């Protein structure tokens, strides 16, 4: 006997009811982001390893220990994307930024891969929905992106979400902040684990990503990002705070949000949900004004976010899947299959959002009707929300008279009418 095959650790299969929730969330994303003028971009699932090392950062956890990296058959080092911003920026630079009308408004949805310890809400293959706005330096860009994010969250029923906002110093101010952070932490260096000691030396901002309680204790009372902002950064941050209410964005400030990715400059934010574990953010984002030029493009300011779609779906309490009317077509035995196929086809053409499912058991109308009754009372059988349920009875009488008998299972009302009246009779029964 061969061993039973299992999905790789940290991955999960989405069966129809679950997959339909993801599709519904993505279609809300398409609608809301589209209404702000954002178009979808799809980039490769694997990229050259160097892309992530140069953008996300060598000393981040993601690059350092979480990437799925492999040589291809020609020995090129490739990596399954751990996030999508780097790929989007690579695509923009490769196409030629001057070719693309400004500002550049993009969104994406797709799988990402990180070799992490799987736990609730943390997977090795997970999905992100994200947005990138490139070509707007003004805080009005940050405000647009955050306003759009909150409109999306509200459309999914997250009415109590609040953004946690911070501003990370740039350039020399960032160096001064890093230095102050090192000065604060160094006296306690012997209490740090090996990993955090390396962070202290190489990339002190990354200390804020540490989950070690000892490190977190040392960081209490650490210098605050906001105290190190230069004049331009401070006014960017103040102006953003002034604009956010206009976009309907509730927020609080926190000096300890720095996000685990190096490319962020100035604005960074997170949204957590009370419905997820305390450590688990629903999404993260921020401004990355240097990334495009770091990857070889003309300097182009940009801002965006990435939502953990799996966590979003897990935390959702509202059912945003579409409601569909169900027609359960029952041929009275195999002799009526031909007629039933034609009628079912006609109903689908008339009501494209309905489900027309054929009873192929061949057991006739009486058994079929009782089956329809079960189906009507067990909507979980469908990945959609099931609205009204009808049985469509197709026996020899119907075939000979070219008629259709439709029974509404909720009211029990049954009527037989000529097949050529299907359009009028079924009008308004789409949902
Ligand atoms: P990041 O790209 O690290 O800024 O993460 C953005 C969002 O993606 C997080 O807030 C999570 O919701 C989600 N996310 C990141 N890593 C994982 C993971 N391993 N499993 C599930 N979701 C994740």
């Amino acid at each position: 006997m061969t061993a039973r095959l299992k999905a790789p650790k940290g991955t999960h299969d989405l069966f129809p009811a679950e997959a339909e929730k993801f599709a519904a969330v993505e279609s809300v994303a398409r609608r809301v982001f589209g209404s702000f003028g954002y178009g979808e971009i799809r980039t490769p699932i694997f990229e050259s390893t160097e892309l992530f090392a140069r953008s996300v950062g060598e000393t981040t956890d993601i690059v350092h220990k979480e990437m799925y990296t492999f040589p291809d058959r020609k020995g090129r080092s490739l990596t399954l994307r751990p996030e999508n911003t780097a790929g989007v920026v690579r695509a923009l630079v490769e196409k030629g930024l001057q070719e693309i009308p400004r500002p550049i408004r993009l969104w994406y949805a797709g799988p990402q891969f990180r070799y992490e310890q799987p736990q609730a809400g943390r997977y090795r293959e997970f999905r992100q929905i994200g947005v990138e706005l490139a070509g707007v330096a003004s805080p009005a860009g940050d405000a647009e992106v955050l306003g759009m994010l909150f409109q999306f969250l509200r459309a999914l029923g997250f009415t109590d979400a609040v953004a946690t906002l911070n501003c990370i110093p740039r350039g020399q101010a960032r160096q001064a902040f890093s230095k102050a952070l090192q000065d604060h932490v160094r006296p306690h260096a012997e209490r740090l684990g090996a990993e955090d000691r390396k962070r202290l030396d190489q990339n002190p901002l990354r200390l804020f990503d540490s989950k070690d309680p000892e490190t977190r204790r040392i960081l209490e009372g650490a210098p605050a990002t906001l105290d190190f902002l230069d004049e331009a950064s401070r006014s960017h941050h103040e102006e953003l705070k002034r604009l956010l209410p206009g976009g309907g964005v509730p927020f609080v400030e926190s000096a300890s949000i720095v996000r685990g990715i190096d490319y962020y400059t100035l604005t960074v934010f997170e949204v957590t949900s009370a419905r997820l574990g305390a450590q688990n953010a629903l999404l993260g984002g921020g401004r990355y004004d240097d990334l495009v030029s770091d990857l070889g493009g003309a300097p182009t300011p940009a801002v965006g976010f990435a939502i953990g779609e799996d966590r979003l779906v897990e935390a959702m309490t509202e059912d945003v899947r579409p409601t569909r009317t169900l027609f359960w077509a029952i041929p009275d035995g195999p002799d009526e299959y031909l007629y039933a196929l034609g009628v079912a086809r006609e109903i689908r053409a008339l009501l494209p959002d309905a489900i027309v499912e054929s009873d192929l058991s061949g057991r006739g109308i009486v058994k079929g009707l009782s089956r329809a009754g079960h189906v009507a009372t067990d909507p979980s059988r469908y990945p959609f929300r099931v609205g009204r349920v009808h049985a469509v009875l197709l026996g020899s009488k119907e075939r000979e008279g070219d008629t259709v008998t439709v029974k509404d299972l909720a009211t029990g009302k049954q009527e037989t009418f000529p097949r050529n009246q299907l359009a009028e009779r079924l009008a308004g029964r789409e949902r």
Side-chain angles (χ1 to χ4, degrees):
M1 253 218 1
T2 49
R4 193 183 291 210
L5 292 173
K6 281 188 168 172
K9 186 172 171 183
T11 68
H12 53 150
D13 301 309
L14 300 179
F15 278 77
E18 205 60 15
E20 202 60 40
K21 287 187 197 157
F22 280 71
V25 161
E26 287 156 27
S27 86
V28 173
R30 184 178 300 279
R31 175 167 56 77
V32 172
F33 302 159
S35 77
F36 282 73
Y38 286 65
E40 190 191 8
I41 183 164
R42 300 188 189 199
T43 64
I45 280 174
F46 57 85
E47 297 270 0
S48 73
T49 302
E50 187 194 350
L51 171 65
F52 302 111
R54 277 175 53 184
S55 55
V56 175
E58 294 274 12
T59 51
T60 58
D61 277 356
I62 296 179
V63 171
H64 190 51
K65 42 183 198 196
E66 295 174 359
M67 297 208 300
Y68 280 91
T69 297
F70 56 96
D72 74 2
R73 285 168 188 275
K74 288 266 166 67
R76 288 172 282 241
S77 182
L78 299 175
T79 291
L80 297 184
R81 62 185 186 198
E83 59 91 83
N84 219 149
T85 299
V88 168
V89 171
R90 195 268 311 135
L92 293 176
V93 172
E94 188 171 341
K95 190 175 171 71
L97 284 155
Q98 67 289 350
E99 301 292 313
I100 311 169
R102 302 282 182 106
I104 303 168
R105 293 187 161 103
L106 298 169
W107 70 275
Y108 61 79
Q112 318 293 335
F113 305 86
R114 293 182 196 175
Y115 192 86
E116 294 193 82
Q117 225 25 61
Q119 48 178 279
R122 191 174 300 282
Y123 308 104
R124 291 185 173 175
E125 183 196 37
F126 60 100
R127 295 152 196 83
Q128 285 184 335
I129 298 180
V131 156
E132 317 292 356
L133 166 64
V136 181
S138 146
D142 314 39
E144 169 174 297
V145 159
L146 275 154
M148 186 164 87
L149 167 64
F150 273 78
Q151 187 168 323
F152 173 67
L153 292 175
R154 277 192 293 268
L156 297 176
F158 289 91
T159 46
D160 55 355
V162 177
T164 310
L165 185 69
N166 193 11
C167 189
I168 298 180
R170 294 187 73 169
Q172 286 195 341
R174 187 179 181 123
Q175 282 164 20
F177 174 68
S178 294
K179 170 86 178 41
L181 197 55
Q182 279 170 328
D183 291 346
H184 173 83
V185 177
R186 229 172 230 128
H188 314 281
E190 77 287 353
R191 283 159 59 199
L192 297 177
E195 186 92 27
D196 286 341
R197 213 169 291 180
K198 209 157 92 199
R199 285 170 159 155
L200 174 62
D201 292 331
Q202 296 178 357
N203 194 351
L205 240 78
R206 295 277 69 85
L207 285 167
F208 285 102
D209 303 334
S210 175
K211 297 193 175 74
D212 184 339
E214 195 59 34
T215 306
R216 304 203 75 87
R217 250 192 307 277
I218 297 169
L219 286 174
E220 284 167 20
T225 45
L226 296 176
D227 293 335
F228 283 78
L229 298 182
D230 57 32
E231 206 37 52
S233 304
R234 178 173 308 284
S235 73
H236 183 98
H237 188 58
E238 292 303 320
E239 177 63 1
L240 174 58
K241 289 196 292 181
R242 196 179 72 84
L243 295 176
L244 285 176
V249 180
F251 69 94
V252 293
E253 280 185 279
S254 162
S256 60
I257 301 279
V258 296
R259 315 284 311 121
I261 296 178
D262 277 351
Y263 52 61
Y264 287 122
T265 50
L266 300 179
T267 307
V268 285
F269 53 89
E270 260 180 22
V271 173
T272 50
S273 163
R275 298 176 212 159
L276 297 168
Q279 276 198 355
N280 285 347
L282 196 54
L283 62 94
R287 183 164 272 285
Y288 49 95
D289 286 346
D290 300 327
L291 182 59
V292 178
S293 53
D294 285 350
L295 293 179
T300 308
V303 53
F305 60 78
I307 305 172
E309 191 179 359
D310 308 76
R311 293 185 190 175
L312 188 75
V313 169
E314 278 159 34
M316 245 164 51
T317 53
E318 215 158 279
D319 193 345
V320 293
R321 296 172 305 166
T323 300
R324 307 178 71 169
T325 293
L326 174 63
F327 291 88
W328 186 254
I330 314 168
D332 196 11
D335 287 351
E336 313 307 336
Y337 282 169
L338 180 63
Y339 188 62
L341 277 169
V343 172
R345 187 151 63 104
E346 219 165 303
I347 300 174
R348 286 190 199 100
L350 289 167
L351 305 177
D353 288 330
I355 310 165
V356 186
E357 192 164 335
S358 300
D359 183 327
L360 301 179
S361 70
R363 293 184 304 176
I365 282 179
V366 175
K367 290 242 166 73
L369 253 178
S370 109
R371 184 99 184 85
H374 289 304
V375 169
T377 52
D378 180 19
S380 67
R381 184 173 183 278
Y382 288 91
F384 319 100
R385 280 189 287 173
V386 175
R388 295 168 70 177
V389 182
H390 305 82
V392 184
L393 312 181
L394 301 162
S396 57
K397 240 177 39 217
E398 279 80 6
R399 171 170 47 79
E400 282 157 16
D402 208 20
T403 61
V404 177
T405 299
V406 176
K407 178 171 183 169
D408 185 324
L409 292 194
T411 61
K413 201 172 142 224
Q414 177 172 322
E415 45 184 4
T416 301
F417 51 83
R419 184 177 171 180
N420 63 15
Q421 287 181 12
L422 265 171
E424 304 108 82
R425 299 288 189 140
L426 297 188
R429 297 209 202 184
E430 187 114 36
R431 275 173 228 290

